[in-house]
Amino acid sequence: MSGGADSSLLDDSGEVPATERGVADVLTLQRPTAEACDAEAERSLFQDSLAEYCWARDVAGLAPKTLDALVQPILEVCTFYDLVPWRLTSRELDRYFAGPGKARRHSTMRSKINRIDGYFAFLEQRYAGEILRRFGVGVASPIDPFNRPRHRGDFGLRIPPSVAETKAFFASWRESLPGARKYRVAVRNYVMAKVTYISGVRASELCGVCMGHLHWENGQWGRFLVRGKGARGSGPREREAFLFKEGRELLWWYIEEVRGEFGDDPTDPLAPLFPSERLPRSVADLNLPVSPAVCPDTFRRALKTASREHLKGAVTALFPHLLRHACATHNYEAGMPLWDVQVLLGHVWASTTVGYLATAKGDPERMSLESSRRAVCRLSAES
């Protein structure tokens, strides 16, 4: 099988005629076929592989928004070099992300590179043989051990204000409401911030709450429905957020006294709980009973401005997610079990909740003594 062909079968060019080739004289897989070795065929296969990659991840349960984010970095790099992905090299990838594609935050660049690497893992599993046979190119990820991203400590520790500082902040803000230039807007921002702290919801979740999502009869103090983040890119998941006694009284006062001052119909179930005070002309001309909801960025700016005026202490600036951390930390310090804090925040994994409690003031020595006392009491009762 490894010997050369009989010299009597060679033609003038030194090749064996196709009609005389035996079983041992087969084409290697590395030799591309002439009819398929063109750029258009490669681009077509690239598009087909992207579509199948999205289908596969869709079957795995990822949300449409997550699917779009998966393929965006691949298209970004391939468009820049005008190449199909299996012809990208590690050097070209390094040049792109160290130059025109360099992100301001390392976490953004790390996310893009990991998504590219995930797509190449898919190519290796399902298309490596076809690409090698048709185009003579071996599929290998340009993410190698030298440019593979690592965590560099770019995640900061979110330290919320203390319980006393938080109470003083909301008390000072509440006292300033009657003198606000836009009373209804000021009250709306205050209530949004206080509900965020009480219930631990995200800014995007709170802005999406409609009047029909309020369920005063659920639980002991009422609850409201939010569309939260799904675990591992699986898409938004609905869950009930908790109001507790303080949140119920606050929200009831807001709806009874202030919510009706906005321009829409607050009795409509689709009306936002926290509407925007500004209507685009195109929306105003329609004369609809429903106003657009306030956007999360507007809420973030309002909270940041209020914290500069009313927050005193080591923490000088607040943002909605820090209030979410404060909700988790303060409830845990007050004695709420970890499982209940996890339910309050809407986390699937307890390990995620533990990350929110990094600054919780625990006392392992005191807890050890208390557990020892409980053990002694239990053994004494059994004996």
Side-chain angles (χ1 to χ4, degrees), residues 160-178:
S162 65
V163 177
E165 292 171 350
T166 305
K167 289 182 178 180
F169 163 69
F170 282 113
S172 176
W173 193 359
R174 180 72 179 262
E175 292 177 358
S176 68
L177 293 179

Side-chain angles (χ1 to χ4, degrees), residues 312-369:
K312 309 299 181 183
V315 181
T316 58
L318 280 177
F319 47 92
H321 209 71
L322 191 58
L323 286 179
R324 180 172 164 86
H325 278 257
C327 171
T329 303
H330 296 168
N331 279 288
Y332 183 73
E333 290 177 342
M336 181 179 289
L338 177 63
W339 163 250
D340 292 330
V341 178
Q342 178 183 347
V343 174
L344 177 63
L345 299 183
H347 288 155
V348 176
W349 310 105
S351 57
T352 307
T353 309
V354 170
Y356 280 69
L357 306 175
T359 60
K361 296 178 176 62
D363 192 345
E365 295 176 340
R366 179 176 59 84
M367 296 303 296
S368 176
L369 291 174

Side-chain angles (χ1 to χ4, degrees), residues 177-233:
L177 293 179
R181 186 171 64 89
K182 295 182 179 180
Y183 177 72
R184 60 176 183 174
V185 176
V187 171
R188 180 203 65 193
N189 296 336
Y190 167 79
V191 173
M192 290 182 71
K194 193 69 176 289
V195 170
T196 300
Y197 171 63
I198 294 173
S199 62
V201 296
R202 302 176 179 88
S204 57
E205 295 172 345
L206 188 62
C207 292
V209 176
C210 297
M211 298 297 296
H213 293 163
L214 295 174
H215 300 282
W216 302 104
E217 71 284 358
N218 287 7
Q220 187 171 355
W221 295 289
R223 300 173 186 174
F224 59 99
L225 197 66
V226 296
R227 287 177 60 84
K229 290 172 57 180
R232 298 179 179 176

Side-chain angles (χ1 to χ4, degrees), residues 16-57:
V16 179
T19 57
E20 301 295 340
R21 288 175 184 167
V23 178
D25 299 306
V26 295
L27 290 175
T28 61
L29 291 177
Q30 288 80 4
R31 186 180 302 176
T33 55
E35 63 272 15
C37 190
D38 60 274
E40 186 62 31
E42 288 195 82
R43 285 193 292 268
S44 178
L45 183 60
F46 174 35
Q47 295 299 327
D48 293 344
S49 68
L50 276 182
E52 187 176 344
Y53 181 54
C54 290
W55 295 338
R57 303 311 293 155

Side-chain angles (χ1 to χ4, degrees), residues 83-101:
L83 290 173
V84 290
W86 48 85
R87 295 193 180 273
L88 285 173
T89 65
S90 299
R91 183 170 297 177
E92 288 170 333
L93 192 81
D94 297 343
R95 189 182 304 119
Y96 177 75
F97 281 108

